[in-house]
Structure formats: structure tokens, C-alpha cells
Amino acid sequence: MHVKAQQFITYDTVDELVQVLAQLRGSGERILHIGGGSNLLFTRDFQGTLLHSGIKYIEEVSRDDREIVFRVGAGVVWDDFCAEMARNNFYGPENLSYIPGEVGASAIQNIGAYGVEVDSIIRAVEAIEVATGMPRVFEVSECEYGYRDSIFKNRLQGQYIVTAVVYRLSVVPVVHLDYGPLQELKSRGEMPTAQVIRDAVIDIRRSKLPEPSELGSAGSFFKNPVVPVEAYRQLAANYTQVPHYVVNEQQIKIPAAWLIEQCGWKGKRHGGAAVYDKQPLILVNEQQATPADIMELADLIQQSVFEKFHIHLHPEVNYI
Ligand code: EPU
């Protein structure tokens, strides 16, 4: 099912954005800035203006014998940036290859996959304040990054529009191969290049995740829950081999995919929506799902995981 917005505006420069914001401020209309839209669930028509960045450039800022710094326009497709970096064998974003979306959203959402989160390569985020049109540069330390979280999603939600992200990459190999299927690359003798890692990551994503152009989804629908060690111990007493990752001395992260599978949801349908059969953390739009189909399915999953495990799943997808 389709939902509509009153207006959709793409701008190509920061100056154009500032002008558009000044006009919209006068009109008092609601605005929502989107990237590729791949992590949004529109629950109904949007009564307002959608803004989208067309700011696209990848600019080298500086380089020495270890590091290279790029400033990248918020409207660049994230994976185009990854592809160009891997082609040049600059290390940093290769584990994050093939994630849908755009550069601006990568810095808001703190995208992550296969043992890497993007905040580890961000140096700064350039933004425009919606209320004033004034520019502001956030150093990475000011962005309050956490698991799929940042100041732009929390305290400053809706207050700033990201216009560019400054990334710090390595010109010498620095690799992250601890994620299960990537470990195999370690045993090949020579150090894999950024391009080899990128290719392996794309293969893994293609085998586990639905191809966005073929089957609609928003990637992982829920975040992986982080629970106190004690709650994990109780769970492990009842279920042998609960998969888990240690976050710190007090907290353990449990894969939501496992919790959902244990509740019998894999492959189940609800209206036009379904739980992806190869990865139950992903809800797919199988047959013209309505927003209600998806929201109800998500609610039912949350309820049954809570009933069985007393763990709350929180959506990773943003409901609009
Ligand atoms: N699992 C099952 N059954 C399944 C699939 C997985 O029990 O059918 C369990 C297994 O124990 C497996 C674990 O879940 O080891 C983790 O699965 P997977 O490696 O596929 O990753 P995930 O935790 O489900 C997270 C991210 C993904 C990211 C992958 C790889 C979140 C919310 N999701 O998923 O990110 O690609 O790790 O690093 O943290 C996204 O954010 O949209 C996204 C796709």
C-alpha cells in the first residue's frame, strides 16, 4: 500500500537547504527530513513536507602515510562511498558495505554490521540548525554515539539536518574479521584487502537479507536487546546455548533473531506482511502489506517474546 506526503523537496546545496528552510519556517508546515527512507515505516499519509538531500560529493581533505580524511555530502548513497573506498583500498567502511541508505543517515543512525559501527570512522558531522539555518560542526565526541543511536536521534531529534560527514580512513590495512562468516578470510594466508572484505560482506548480506529491490523490508526491525547479566544467566539456565555477546561486565546482548525464532515466528505471515524465513529479525512486505499489517505483526512478536522471555524488543525502525 502507498502512503503520500503533501510535498517532497530535494535540494542540491547547503545554500538551497537554508533557503528552503526559511520558506518552510514561514509556512509553519511540518517537516521531516529523510535519507533513502530504508529505515522508515510510514504508518499513514504525512501531512507536511519531506526534505531530501541531493548534496553529493566525495572530497579528500587530507592524507598522511597512515590516514586519509574524506568529507562526503549527506546525499551520497552510502554504498557508493563504500565501493569507492574499497576500490582504492582505503580501510574503514568495508564491513558496512551494501547497507541501504545515504551518508547523512549513516551518521544519525550509527549504522553497524559485522563487528563495525560507523562512529569508529567518523571524525565530524556537519549540520544546519532547522530553527535558525545556522551551520554547526559536531565533533564525533559530541555526537553521543551508541548502538544504533546518536544525539541526532535523541536530544536533538529533528533539530539539525546533516549536510556532510567527515570520515577518517586508514591507508594501511586495519581489518575486522571476527564476525563468524568473515573469519574464514583470516585463514587464507595473506591479509585480505578492503575490496576482498567488501566482496565477502556483500555475499553474506545477499545470502541472509532480502534484496531491497526484490522484497521490501527495513532491515532489522528490532534492536538486539541488551539485558543485565543476571537476566541472561536465568535464560541460559532454561535454554542451552543462548547466543549472546558480552557488552560489558554488567550487560549482555542477545540476538533478537534467536528470541523471535524460539517463539515460532520464522516464516509466519500476517496480512501482506511476513517474518523473513532466513532471518526472523526482518519483517518483509510480501504482498502489498498495509502499515497496519506490519505494525500488528511487530506488536504480536513483541508480545510473544515478552511472554516467553520477559524481554522487551524495541523497534529499530522509525515509525512516522
Ligand atoms: N539467529 C537465529 N536464527 C536465525 C538467524 C539468526 O537464531 O534465523 C541468531 C543466531 O544466533 C545468530 C544471531 O541471531 O548468530 C545474529 O544473527 P545475524 O548475525 O544475522 O545478525 P543480527 O544480530 O540479527 C545484526 C544487525 C544487522 C547486521 C548484522 C550483522 C541489529 C539490529 N542488526 O543483526 O543490521 O547486518 O547484525 O552484523 O543490530 C540493520 O540494522 O538493519 C541490520 C541488518
Side-chain angles (χ1 to χ4, degrees):
M1 202 187 97
H2 297 279
V3 293
K4 296 196 192 84
Q6 275 172 341
Q7 190 176 205
F8 181 89
I9 300 176
T10 296
Y11 54 86
D12 296 322
T13 63
V14 173
D15 286 347
E16 227 183 286
L17 168 63
V18 171
Q19 280 170 25
V20 168
L21 286 175
Q23 281 162 13
L24 290 171
R25 218 172 288 135
S27 75
E29 253 187 64
R30 258 180 92 194
I31 59 172
L32 173 69
H33 199 288
I34 67 168
S38 42
N39 211 40
L40 303 181
L41 176 64
F42 281 91
T43 58
R44 59 175 84 98
D45 286 347
F46 181 71
Q47 307 298 338
T49 298
L50 294 185
L51 289 179
H52 178 240
S53 175
I55 303 178
K56 287 178 193 276
Y57 57 83
I58 300 180
E59 173 188 290
E60 186 178 320
V61 176
S62 64
R63 177 200 302 234
D64 60 24
D65 53 3
R66 299 195 65 82
E67 257 184 27
I68 183 159
V69 176
F70 286 95
R71 185 165 169 251
V72 186
V76 170
V77 170
W78 167 255
D79 193 51
D80 291 351
F81 171 63
C82 294
E84 188 167 327
M85 295 302 106
R87 214 169 19 246
N88 289 293
N89 269 318
F90 300 142
Y91 292 78
E94 60 280 358
N95 289 44
L96 306 176
S97 291
Y98 217 55
I99 294 181
E102 295 171 1
V103 160
S106 78
I108 295 172
Q109 170 73 352
N110 194 14
I111 55 173
Y114 311 115
V116 174
E117 286 179 334
V118 76
D119 65 331
S120 65
I121 60 162
I122 290 178
R123 174 182 270 186
V125 176
E126 299 178 16
I128 291 290
E129 190 176 24
V130 174
T132 60
M134 294 298 287
R136 174 164 168 194
V137 178
F138 294 81
E139 297 304 321
V140 65
S141 55
E142 297 176 278
C143 295
E144 300 179 5
Y145 280 123
Y147 168 51
R148 299 291 191 280
D149 200 16
S150 72
I151 195 168
F152 308 107
K153 284 183 74 176
N154 269 313
R155 245 163 11 92
L156 298 183
Q157 194 190 18
Q159 293 183 41
Y160 282 87
I161 292 173
V162 174
T163 52
V165 182
V166 181
Y167 299 101
R168 198 171 39 85
L169 282 76
S170 179
V171 294
V172 293
V174 176
V175 301
H176 302 274
L177 303 175
D178 289 335
Y179 181 82
L182 288 179
Q183 286 178 9
E184 188 257 330
L185 295 180
K186 286 190 204 170
S187 56
R188 289 193 188 167
E190 59 193 45
M191 177 83 89
T193 61
Q195 184 67 53
V196 166
I197 299 171
R198 169 176 167 78
D199 292 343
V201 164
I202 292 176
D203 282 349
I204 297 169
R205 291 190 76 92
R206 287 206 169 121
S207 70
K208 287 194 177 189
L209 307 173
E211 196 67 38
S213 58
E214 289 165 14
L215 186 58
S217 84
S220 299
F221 199 92
F222 301 101
K223 290 191 199 183
N224 286 325
V226 175
V227 303
V229 170
E230 196 39 48
Y232 162 72
R233 289 216 184 95
Q234 280 171 19
L235 194 61
N238 294 325
Y239 297 85
T240 45
Q241 297 182 329
V242 179
H244 61 282
Y245 321 94
V246 176
V247 176
N248 54 41
E249 277 177 13
Q250 291 92 39
Q251 294 180 306
I252 305 277
K253 195 188 266 185
I254 306 201
W258 182 82
L259 299 168
I260 297 170
E261 181 167 4
Q262 295 297 309
C263 294
W265 280 105
K266 220 169 179 172
K268 286 273 165 59
R269 296 190 167 76
H270 181 81
V275 180
Y276 193 52
D277 51 3
K278 286 189 242 164
Q279 223 305 358
L281 190 47
I282 296 178
L283 305 188
V284 293
N285 180 352
E286 210 175 50
Q287 240 181 2
Q288 301 184 4
T290 63
D293 291 342
I294 312 247
M295 285 189 287
E296 284 163 16
L297 179 55
D299 282 352
L300 290 166
I301 292 171
Q302 280 171 309
Q303 279 167 30
S304 59
V305 167
F306 188 75
E307 273 163 27
K308 196 171 170 81
F309 297 109
H310 292 279
I311 293 176
H312 278 294
L313 292 184
H314 297 286
E316 196 231 337
V317 168
N318 296 314
Y319 287 44
I320 307 295

